[in-house]
Amino acid sequence: MIYLGRNHDPQNNRELIERITGVNKRKFKGVLEQTDRLFMKYSRNYLWPSAFSIKSVLTGIKKIGVFLFVKNASGYPARMGATSVNQEGTVYPEWKSLLDQESGHLLNKISREVSITDFGAVGDGVTDDTDAFKKAIAKGRVKVIIPEGIFVIKGLKLPSFTLLAGAGKGKTILKLHDAAPKGEWIITNANHVKGNRNIRVEGMSLDWNVERLGNEEYTSRGNNRSSCLTLANVTFGWVKDVEAINPGLHCFDVSSTLYTYLGDGTRSRGGSKYIWLDNLNGHGFGDDGITTHHSDNILITNSHMCDPSGRAHKKGFSNSNGIEVDDGSRNVWLVGNSTTRCFGGVEIKAHHNASAASNVQIIGHLSVNDNRSYNFRHIGHHKLNDPESKTAFNIKATNIVSIAPVFTDLYVNSTPRGMVVSAYKNVAVNDFTLIGDPEYDYKGEPVIAIQYRARNVVFNNIKISGFKNAGAYIKIFGGRQRADYVALQNVEADDAAKPIEIGAGIDNASVQHIYTDDKNNILV
């Protein structure tokens, strides 16, 4: 079995995924086009919520300070954005050209290039260098060069048009001061309410210094604080070649001014837009490695998240995911990333009292020993007496891999799964390879679960092997909160006793071309 450590180079993900799936750069464009065709064929249009609910307004009036940061989710186009592939097989969203243009705008706006050492920074791992950074950054329009060393700080707030450039991961280290409060970030933007623009951070490690908290049970203060790097209400941002170490909450958070929870159909004001995270590493996170909230047009590429502490949650109930596309996020591309030993490898979701993430594309992902490699859900909108989700729509996943999902102490009662689809409508999964550990006890549980009101779901070109002690390889759950309108086609399984199981009461499920090792059709 493959092992990915904390220092895994995520630039190698593409080659690793190609070796497992056989989808190389020459085939990639065709596979993505096939995913698009499947999505168009099997999905349908749904109306977005058009107004606040009475309940959300009344709740907001009681918390008027929070209500001011909330807006309606209506008026947003349901269309999934287009994806392009160049001759080298590099994948990017249609709006990346605008981000590239703004990168040039950032460089043109910079009027000073300085070294942090010119302002008295020592970088010896002991001296407090916060004042040196404040003087160097000043009001922005600056590129600050940070050489090798360990620079102890009490948190940095970056104004618009600021570029921080280190010497590389593990070489330039920004470390939170022992006296920094629990809610502090290592780096964030200067104005979460009015917003900032054109901020770039590259080439460094960020050590949240969790050791300063001693034996405190919980490592985060709440809302969007306590992370290594947070962009809140930022338009045009780049974070490249950065490592995050042991944050109380998240390694990297693309966020709104505040997280708000005033109901499905609402979004927080002050979301970030046009953000690119690339070649990031993170471990030891209290909640999630990379996460997004109430933000639009986000590209996350060639990154690796692993080994969460889970200490932002009660022990044994840590929903700590490698990459989590959370409440109200829209138009998010995940390309060429990897996760390992997390609760969820990739989780696309929302809390019960927030709008679901939507319009999300996963293109090439490697999940190793995550409890649930891919988990799509809108919490609190699954069961018979729950309200149906208004916003859980539109996911495409192409050329993805799940290797040996396992039980985890992070969430003690959670059974391993290669993928779970709950409550979401319009889901297309194409070219999915799942490899289990034949010696592992999967306790008769399914490998892929399609359940809890999921609708308009298609799986194509699925290869499953090695789950010797699992139940059905793919199970469509029936009952009164059943999944429906599900298509399974071109599934290759090894000698599983029951490759497909369809539950009671499902009226609209199609199954085509299901093969076992001997390539004989399995009739379901």
Side-chain angles (χ1 to χ4, degrees), residues 231-261:
L231 299 180
N233 199 357
V234 170
T235 302
F236 307 119
W238 302 260
V239 182
K240 291 178 174 285
D241 309 327
V242 176
E243 175 190 26
I245 303 168
N246 297 332
L249 192 64
H250 308 306
C251 291
F252 305 94
D253 185 6
V254 179
S255 180
S256 52
T257 303
L258 293 172
Y259 303 160
T260 58
Y261 304 98

PDB file of all heavy atoms in Angstrom, residues 231-261:
ATOM      1  N   LEU A 231      -7.860  34.095   4.678  1.00  0.00           N
ATOM      2  CA  LEU A 231      -8.238  35.189   3.797  1.00  0.00           C
ATOM      3  C   LEU A 231      -9.738  35.390   3.957  1.00  0.00           C
ATOM      4  O   LEU A 231     -10.538  34.538   3.562  1.00  0.00           O
ATOM      5  CB  LEU A 231      -7.888  34.863   2.340  1.00  0.00           C
ATOM      6  CG  LEU A 231      -6.409  34.621   2.038  1.00  0.00           C
ATOM      7  CD1 LEU A 231      -6.204  34.298   0.565  1.00  0.00           C
ATOM      8  CD2 LEU A 231      -5.541  35.811   2.444  1.00  0.00           C
ATOM      9  N   ALA A 232     -10.140  36.499   4.558  1.00  0.00           N
ATOM     10  CA  ALA A 232     -11.544  36.787   4.839  1.00  0.00           C
ATOM     11  C   ALA A 232     -11.932  38.070   4.113  1.00  0.00           C
ATOM     12  O   ALA A 232     -11.404  39.138   4.416  1.00  0.00           O
ATOM     13  CB  ALA A 232     -11.776  36.927   6.340  1.00  0.00           C
ATOM     14  N   ASN A 233     -12.854  37.957   3.154  1.00  0.00           N
ATOM     15  CA  ASN A 233     -13.272  39.103   2.353  1.00  0.00           C
ATOM     16  C   ASN A 233     -12.097  39.639   1.532  1.00  0.00           C
ATOM     17  O   ASN A 233     -11.823  40.848   1.521  1.00  0.00           O
ATOM     18  CB  ASN A 233     -13.870  40.203   3.246  1.00  0.00           C
ATOM     19  CG  ASN A 233     -14.721  41.190   2.469  1.00  0.00           C
ATOM     20  OD1 ASN A 233     -14.839  41.094   1.243  1.00  0.00           O
ATOM     21  ND2 ASN A 233     -15.296  42.149   3.175  1.00  0.00           N
ATOM     22  N   VAL A 234     -11.422  38.739   0.849  1.00  0.00           N
ATOM     23  CA  VAL A 234     -10.307  39.092  -0.028  1.00  0.00           C
ATOM     24  C   VAL A 234     -10.708  38.805  -1.474  1.00  0.00           C
ATOM     25  O   VAL A 234     -11.221  37.725  -1.785  1.00  0.00           O
ATOM     26  CB  VAL A 234      -9.032  38.310   0.321  1.00  0.00           C
ATOM     27  CG1 VAL A 234      -7.951  38.508  -0.740  1.00  0.00           C
ATOM     28  CG2 VAL A 234      -8.512  38.737   1.693  1.00  0.00           C
ATOM     29  N   THR A 235     -10.469  39.756  -2.342  1.00  0.00           N
ATOM     30  CA  THR A 235     -10.662  39.566  -3.778  1.00  0.00           C
ATOM     31  C   THR A 235      -9.291  39.528  -4.444  1.00  0.00           C
ATOM     32  O   THR A 235      -8.524  40.481  -4.314  1.00  0.00           O
ATOM     33  CB  THR A 235     -11.509  40.704  -4.368  1.00  0.00           C
ATOM     34  OG1 THR A 235     -12.771  40.751  -3.695  1.00  0.00           O
ATOM     35  CG2 THR A 235     -11.754  40.478  -5.853  1.00  0.00           C
ATOM     36  N   PHE A 236      -8.996  38.444  -5.090  1.00  0.00           N
ATOM     37  CA  PHE A 236      -7.718  38.143  -5.731  1.00  0.00           C
ATOM     38  C   PHE A 236      -6.627  37.862  -4.683  1.00  0.00           C
ATOM     39  O   PHE A 236      -6.083  38.766  -4.050  1.00  0.00           O
ATOM     40  CB  PHE A 236      -7.252  39.273  -6.661  1.00  0.00           C
ATOM     41  CG  PHE A 236      -8.283  39.676  -7.681  1.00  0.00           C
ATOM     42  CD1 PHE A 236      -8.790  40.967  -7.701  1.00  0.00           C
ATOM     43  CD2 PHE A 236      -8.767  38.765  -8.606  1.00  0.00           C
ATOM     44  CE1 PHE A 236      -9.748  41.350  -8.610  1.00  0.00           C
ATOM     45  CE2 PHE A 236      -9.739  39.135  -9.527  1.00  0.00           C
ATOM     46  CZ  PHE A 236     -10.231  40.422  -9.530  1.00  0.00           C
ATOM     47  N   GLY A 237      -6.382  36.576  -4.486  1.00  0.00           N
ATOM     48  CA  GLY A 237      -5.371  36.154  -3.525  1.00  0.00           C
ATOM     49  C   GLY A 237      -4.642  34.918  -4.008  1.00  0.00           C
ATOM     50  O   GLY A 237      -5.205  34.078  -4.721  1.00  0.00           O
ATOM     51  N   TRP A 238      -3.386  34.805  -3.617  1.00  0.00           N
ATOM     52  CA  TRP A 238      -2.543  33.680  -4.004  1.00  0.00           C
ATOM     53  C   TRP A 238      -1.770  33.210  -2.776  1.00  0.00           C
ATOM     54  O   TRP A 238      -1.132  34.010  -2.077  1.00  0.00           O
ATOM     55  CB  TRP A 238      -1.528  34.092  -5.067  1.00  0.00           C
ATOM     56  CG  TRP A 238      -2.121  34.661  -6.319  1.00  0.00           C
ATOM     57  CD1 TRP A 238      -2.327  34.023  -7.500  1.00  0.00           C
ATOM     58  CD2 TRP A 238      -2.563  36.021  -6.533  1.00  0.00           C
ATOM     59  NE1 TRP A 238      -2.876  34.866  -8.429  1.00  0.00           N
ATOM     60  CE2 TRP A 238      -3.040  36.107  -7.859  1.00  0.00           C
ATOM     61  CE3 TRP A 238      -2.617  37.150  -5.714  1.00  0.00           C
ATOM     62  CZ2 TRP A 238      -3.549  37.285  -8.397  1.00  0.00           C
ATOM     63  CZ3 TRP A 238      -3.140  38.328  -6.242  1.00  0.00           C
ATOM     64  CH2 TRP A 238      -3.589  38.392  -7.571  1.00  0.00           C
ATOM     65  N   VAL A 239      -1.815  31.904  -2.516  1.00  0.00           N
ATOM     66  CA  VAL A 239      -0.994  31.307  -1.467  1.00  0.00           C
ATOM     67  C   VAL A 239      -0.288  30.127  -2.111  1.00  0.00           C
ATOM     68  O   VAL A 239      -0.936  29.163  -2.543  1.00  0.00           O
ATOM     69  CB  VAL A 239      -1.836  30.854  -0.267  1.00  0.00           C
ATOM     70  CG1 VAL A 239      -0.932  30.294   0.826  1.00  0.00           C
ATOM     71  CG2 VAL A 239      -2.680  32.006   0.277  1.00  0.00           C
ATOM     72  N   LYS A 240       1.030  30.192  -2.196  1.00  0.00           N
ATOM     73  CA  LYS A 240       1.781  29.195  -2.952  1.00  0.00           C
ATOM     74  C   LYS A 240       3.011  28.740  -2.162  1.00  0.00           C
ATOM     75  O   LYS A 240       3.688  29.543  -1.529  1.00  0.00           O
ATOM     76  CB  LYS A 240       2.224  29.759  -4.307  1.00  0.00           C
ATOM     77  CG  LYS A 240       1.077  29.999  -5.285  1.00  0.00           C
ATOM     78  CD  LYS A 240       1.579  30.599  -6.595  1.00  0.00           C
ATOM     79  CE  LYS A 240       0.457  30.705  -7.609  1.00  0.00           C
ATOM     80  NZ  LYS A 240       0.096  29.406  -8.190  1.00  0.00           N
ATOM     81  N   ASP A 241       3.268  27.444  -2.227  1.00  0.00           N
ATOM     82  CA  ASP A 241       4.482  26.866  -1.624  1.00  0.00           C
ATOM     83  C   ASP A 241       4.572  27.212  -0.136  1.00  0.00           C
ATOM     84  O   ASP A 241       5.582  27.725   0.355  1.00  0.00           O
ATOM     85  CB  ASP A 241       5.742  27.374  -2.348  1.00  0.00           C
ATOM     86  CG  ASP A 241       5.666  27.199  -3.850  1.00  0.00           C
ATOM     87  OD1 ASP A 241       5.059  26.216  -4.307  1.00  0.00           O
ATOM     88  OD2 ASP A 241       6.199  28.062  -4.574  1.00  0.00           O
ATOM     89  N   VAL A 242       3.497  26.908   0.590  1.00  0.00           N
ATOM     90  CA  VAL A 242       3.427  27.223   2.013  1.00  0.00           C
ATOM     91  C   VAL A 242       3.047  25.966   2.791  1.00  0.00           C
ATOM     92  O   VAL A 242       2.203  25.187   2.353  1.00  0.00           O
ATOM     93  CB  VAL A 242       2.410  28.354   2.290  1.00  0.00           C
ATOM     94  CG1 VAL A 242       2.267  28.607   3.792  1.00  0.00           C
ATOM     95  CG2 VAL A 242       2.826  29.639   1.579  1.00  0.00           C
ATOM     96  N   GLU A 243       3.674  25.789   3.949  1.00  0.00           N
ATOM     97  CA  GLU A 243       3.367  24.688   4.866  1.00  0.00           C
ATOM     98  C   GLU A 243       2.715  25.268   6.119  1.00  0.00           C
ATOM     99  O   GLU A 243       3.148  26.293   6.634  1.00  0.00           O
ATOM    100  CB  GLU A 243       4.647  23.949   5.256  1.00  0.00           C
ATOM    101  CG  GLU A 243       4.444  22.857   6.300  1.00  0.00           C
ATOM    102  CD  GLU A 243       5.764  22.309   6.827  1.00  0.00           C
ATOM    103  OE1 GLU A 243       6.781  23.040   6.789  1.00  0.00           O
ATOM    104  OE2 GLU A 243       5.776  21.144   7.273  1.00  0.00           O
ATOM    105  N   ALA A 244       1.676  24.581   6.625  1.00  0.00           N
ATOM    106  CA  ALA A 244       1.018  24.990   7.865  1.00  0.00           C
ATOM    107  C   ALA A 244       1.142  23.883   8.900  1.00  0.00           C
ATOM    108  O   ALA A 244       0.914  22.707   8.592  1.00  0.00           O
ATOM    109  CB  ALA A 244      -0.449  25.314   7.606  1.00  0.00           C
ATOM    110  N   ILE A 245       1.504  24.259  10.129  1.00  0.00           N
ATOM    111  CA  ILE A 245       1.847  23.289  11.161  1.00  0.00           C
ATOM    112  C   ILE A 245       0.979  23.507  12.401  1.00  0.00           C
ATOM    113  O   ILE A 245       0.974  24.584  13.006  1.00  0.00           O
ATOM    114  CB  ILE A 245       3.342  23.419  11.548  1.00  0.00           C
ATOM    115  CG1 ILE A 245       4.240  23.238  10.310  1.00  0.00           C
ATOM    116  CG2 ILE A 245       3.712  22.423  12.635  1.00  0.00           C
ATOM    117  CD1 ILE A 245       5.689  23.637  10.550  1.00  0.00           C
ATOM    118  N   ASN A 246       0.209  22.508  12.777  1.00  0.00           N
ATOM    119  CA  ASN A 246      -0.509  22.423  14.061  1.00  0.00           C
ATOM    120  C   ASN A 246      -1.405  23.621  14.383  1.00  0.00           C
ATOM    121  O   ASN A 246      -1.392  24.138  15.508  1.00  0.00           O
ATOM    122  CB  ASN A 246       0.489  22.239  15.215  1.00  0.00           C
ATOM    123  CG  ASN A 246       1.260  20.946  15.096  1.00  0.00           C
ATOM    124  OD1 ASN A 246       0.783  19.972  14.534  1.00  0.00           O
ATOM    125  ND2 ASN A 246       2.473  20.938  15.642  1.00  0.00           N
ATOM    126  N   PRO A 247      -2.243  24.087  13.440  1.00  0.00           N
ATOM    127  CA  PRO A 247      -3.143  25.192  13.799  1.00  0.00           C
ATOM    128  C   PRO A 247      -4.239  24.727  14.746  1.00  0.00           C
ATOM    129  O   PRO A 247      -4.645  23.562  14.739  1.00  0.00           O
ATOM    130  CB  PRO A 247      -3.726  25.610  12.452  1.00  0.00           C
ATOM    131  CG  PRO A 247      -3.699  24.346  11.643  1.00  0.00           C
ATOM    132  CD  PRO A 247      -2.442  23.630  12.052  1.00  0.00           C
ATOM    133  N   GLY A 248      -4.757  25.675  15.541  1.00  0.00           N
ATOM    134  CA  GLY A 248      -5.860  25.337  16.427  1.00  0.00           C
ATOM    135  C   GLY A 248      -7.112  24.976  15.674  1.00  0.00           C
ATOM    136  O   GLY A 248      -7.895  24.120  16.104  1.00  0.00           O
ATOM    137  N   LEU A 249      -7.347  25.608  14.505  1.00  0.00           N
ATOM    138  CA  LEU A 249      -8.536  25.333  13.712  1.00  0.00           C
ATOM    139  C   LEU A 249      -8.118  24.804  12.336  1.00  0.00           C
ATOM    140  O   LEU A 249      -8.017  23.602  12.141  1.00  0.00           O
ATOM    141  CB  LEU A 249      -9.392  26.601  13.588  1.00  0.00           C
ATOM    142  CG  LEU A 249     -10.799  26.393  13.030  1.00  0.00           C
ATOM    143  CD1 LEU A 249     -11.650  25.525  13.954  1.00  0.00           C
ATOM    144  CD2 LEU A 249     -11.492  27.732  12.785  1.00  0.00           C
ATOM    145  N   HIS A 250      -7.875  25.684  11.374  1.00  0.00           N
ATOM    146  CA  HIS A 250      -7.571  25.273  10.007  1.00  0.00           C
ATOM    147  C   HIS A 250      -6.139  25.653   9.622  1.00  0.00           C
ATOM    148  O   HIS A 250      -5.600  26.644  10.117  1.00  0.00           O
ATOM    149  CB  HIS A 250      -8.515  25.947   9.020  1.00  0.00           C
ATOM    150  CG  HIS A 250      -9.967  25.790   9.355  1.00  0.00           C
ATOM    151  ND1 HIS A 250     -10.550  24.563   9.558  1.00  0.00           N
ATOM    152  CD2 HIS A 250     -10.955  26.721   9.522  1.00  0.00           C
ATOM    153  CE1 HIS A 250     -11.840  24.733   9.830  1.00  0.00           C
ATOM    154  NE2 HIS A 250     -12.103  26.029   9.824  1.00  0.00           N
ATOM    155  N   CYS A 251      -5.589  24.909   8.693  1.00  0.00           N
ATOM    156  CA  CYS A 251      -4.322  25.338   8.093  1.00  0.00           C
ATOM    157  C   CYS A 251      -4.538  26.560   7.214  1.00  0.00           C
ATOM    158  O   CYS A 251      -3.889  27.592   7.382  1.00  0.00           O
ATOM    159  CB  CYS A 251      -3.718  24.201   7.265  1.00  0.00           C
ATOM    160  SG  CYS A 251      -3.126  22.792   8.207  1.00  0.00           S
ATOM    161  N   PHE A 252      -5.480  26.445   6.266  1.00  0.00           N
ATOM    162  CA  PHE A 252      -5.760  27.520   5.311  1.00  0.00           C
ATOM    163  C   PHE A 252      -7.274  27.672   5.188  1.00  0.00           C
ATOM    164  O   PHE A 252      -7.979  26.703   4.922  1.00  0.00           O
ATOM    165  CB  PHE A 252      -5.160  27.206   3.939  1.00  0.00           C
ATOM    166  CG  PHE A 252      -3.680  26.905   3.986  1.00  0.00           C
ATOM    167  CD1 PHE A 252      -3.227  25.588   4.084  1.00  0.00           C
ATOM    168  CD2 PHE A 252      -2.750  27.929   3.939  1.00  0.00           C
ATOM    169  CE1 PHE A 252      -1.870  25.301   4.126  1.00  0.00           C
ATOM    170  CE2 PHE A 252      -1.386  27.652   3.987  1.00  0.00           C
ATOM    171  CZ  PHE A 252      -0.942  26.334   4.090  1.00  0.00           C
ATOM    172  N   ASP A 253      -7.765  28.900   5.351  1.00  0.00           N
ATOM    173  CA  ASP A 253      -9.202  29.158   5.326  1.00  0.00           C
ATOM    174  C   ASP A 253      -9.491  30.305   4.363  1.00  0.00           C
ATOM    175  O   ASP A 253      -9.008  31.415   4.556  1.00  0.00           O
ATOM    176  CB  ASP A 253      -9.698  29.509   6.736  1.00  0.00           C
ATOM    177  CG  ASP A 253     -11.214  29.667   6.825  1.00  0.00           C
ATOM    178  OD1 ASP A 253     -11.906  29.406   5.831  1.00  0.00           O
ATOM    179  OD2 ASP A 253     -11.693  30.052   7.912  1.00  0.00           O
ATOM    180  N   VAL A 254     -10.254  30.010   3.306  1.00  0.00           N
ATOM    181  CA  VAL A 254     -10.749  31.044   2.402  1.00  0.00           C
ATOM    182  C   VAL A 254     -12.170  31.339   2.852  1.00  0.00           C
ATOM    183  O   VAL A 254     -13.057  30.502   2.711  1.00  0.00           O
ATOM    184  CB  VAL A 254     -10.711  30.580   0.939  1.00  0.00           C
ATOM    185  CG1 VAL A 254     -11.251  31.666   0.021  1.00  0.00           C
ATOM    186  CG2 VAL A 254      -9.287  30.197   0.541  1.00  0.00           C
ATOM    187  N   SER A 255     -12.391  32.534   3.385  1.00  0.00           N
ATOM    188  CA  SER A 255     -13.565  32.745   4.232  1.00  0.00           C
ATOM    189  C   SER A 255     -14.262  34.058   3.929  1.00  0.00           C
ATOM    190  O   SER A 255     -13.803  34.895   3.151  1.00  0.00           O
ATOM    191  CB  SER A 255     -13.123  32.721   5.707  1.00  0.00           C
ATOM    192  OG  SER A 255     -14.213  32.926   6.573  1.00  0.00           O
ATOM    193  N   SER A 256     -15.381  34.228   4.609  1.00  0.00           N
ATOM    194  CA  SER A 256     -16.128  35.478   4.646  1.00  0.00           C
ATOM    195  C   SER A 256     -15.757  36.232   5.921  1.00  0.00           C
ATOM    196  O   SER A 256     -14.986  35.747   6.747  1.00  0.00           O
ATOM    197  CB  SER A 256     -17.630  35.185   4.631  1.00  0.00           C
ATOM    198  OG  SER A 256     -17.952  34.255   5.645  1.00  0.00           O
ATOM    199  N   THR A 257     -16.331  37.423   6.064  1.00  0.00           N
ATOM    200  CA  THR A 257     -16.061  38.239   7.253  1.00  0.00           C
ATOM    201  C   THR A 257     -16.289  37.437   8.528  1.00  0.00           C
ATOM    202  O   THR A 257     -15.465  37.448   9.449  1.00  0.00           O
ATOM    203  CB  THR A 257     -16.963  39.482   7.238  1.00  0.00           C
ATOM    204  OG1 THR A 257     -16.734  40.202   6.019  1.00  0.00           O
ATOM    205  CG2 THR A 257     -16.667  40.371   8.428  1.00  0.00           C
ATOM    206  N   LEU A 258     -17.419  36.750   8.588  1.00  0.00           N
ATOM    207  CA  LEU A 258     -17.746  35.853   9.696  1.00  0.00           C
ATOM    208  C   LEU A 258     -18.408  34.605   9.128  1.00  0.00           C
ATOM    209  O   LEU A 258     -18.977  34.636   8.042  1.00  0.00           O
ATOM    210  CB  LEU A 258     -18.721  36.517  10.685  1.00  0.00           C
ATOM    211  CG  LEU A 258     -18.236  37.717  11.495  1.00  0.00           C
ATOM    212  CD1 LEU A 258     -19.418  38.322  12.259  1.00  0.00           C
ATOM    213  CD2 LEU A 258     -17.136  37.315  12.474  1.00  0.00           C
ATOM    214  N   TYR A 259     -18.342  33.501   9.859  1.00  0.00           N
ATOM    215  CA  TYR A 259     -19.226  32.381   9.569  1.00  0.00           C
ATOM    216  C   TYR A 259     -20.596  32.719  10.170  1.00  0.00           C
ATOM    217  O   TYR A 259     -20.681  33.098  11.343  1.00  0.00           O
ATOM    218  CB  TYR A 259     -18.750  31.090  10.249  1.00  0.00           C
ATOM    219  CG  TYR A 259     -17.363  30.609   9.952  1.00  0.00           C
ATOM    220  CD1 TYR A 259     -16.743  29.715  10.820  1.00  0.00           C
ATOM    221  CD2 TYR A 259     -16.656  31.016   8.835  1.00  0.00           C
ATOM    222  CE1 TYR A 259     -15.472  29.214  10.573  1.00  0.00           C
ATOM    223  CE2 TYR A 259     -15.376  30.548   8.583  1.00  0.00           C
ATOM    224  CZ  TYR A 259     -14.782  29.644   9.459  1.00  0.00           C
ATOM    225  OH  TYR A 259     -13.522  29.163   9.230  1.00  0.00           O
ATOM    226  N   THR A 260     -21.657  32.599   9.384  1.00  0.00           N
ATOM    227  CA  THR A 260     -22.995  32.827   9.916  1.00  0.00           C
ATOM    228  C   THR A 260     -23.857  31.601   9.696  1.00  0.00           C
ATOM    229  O   THR A 260     -23.643  30.828   8.762  1.00  0.00           O
ATOM    230  CB  THR A 260     -23.662  34.048   9.249  1.00  0.00           C
ATOM    231  OG1 THR A 260     -23.713  33.833   7.829  1.00  0.00           O
ATOM    232  CG2 THR A 260     -22.893  35.311   9.543  1.00  0.00           C
ATOM    233  N   TYR A 261     -24.845  31.433  10.561  1.00  0.00           N
ATOM    234  CA  TYR A 261     -25.685  30.232  10.558  1.00  0.00           C
ATOM    235  C   TYR A 261     -27.149  30.638  10.735  1.00  0.00           C
ATOM    236  O   TYR A 261     -27.753  30.380  11.764  1.00  0.00           O
ATOM    237  CB  TYR A 261     -25.241  29.288  11.679  1.00  0.00           C
ATOM    238  CG  TYR A 261     -23.782  28.909  11.602  1.00  0.00           C
ATOM    239  CD1 TYR A 261     -22.828  29.564  12.379  1.00  0.00           C
ATOM    240  CD2 TYR A 261     -23.350  27.908  10.736  1.00  0.00           C
ATOM    241  CE1 TYR A 261     -21.485  29.224  12.296  1.00  0.00           C
ATOM    242  CE2 TYR A 261     -22.001  27.567  10.646  1.00  0.00           C
ATOM    243  CZ  TYR A 261     -21.085  28.223  11.430  1.00  0.00           C
ATOM    244  OH  TYR A 261     -19.753  27.888  11.343  1.00  0.00           O
TER     245      TYR A 261
END
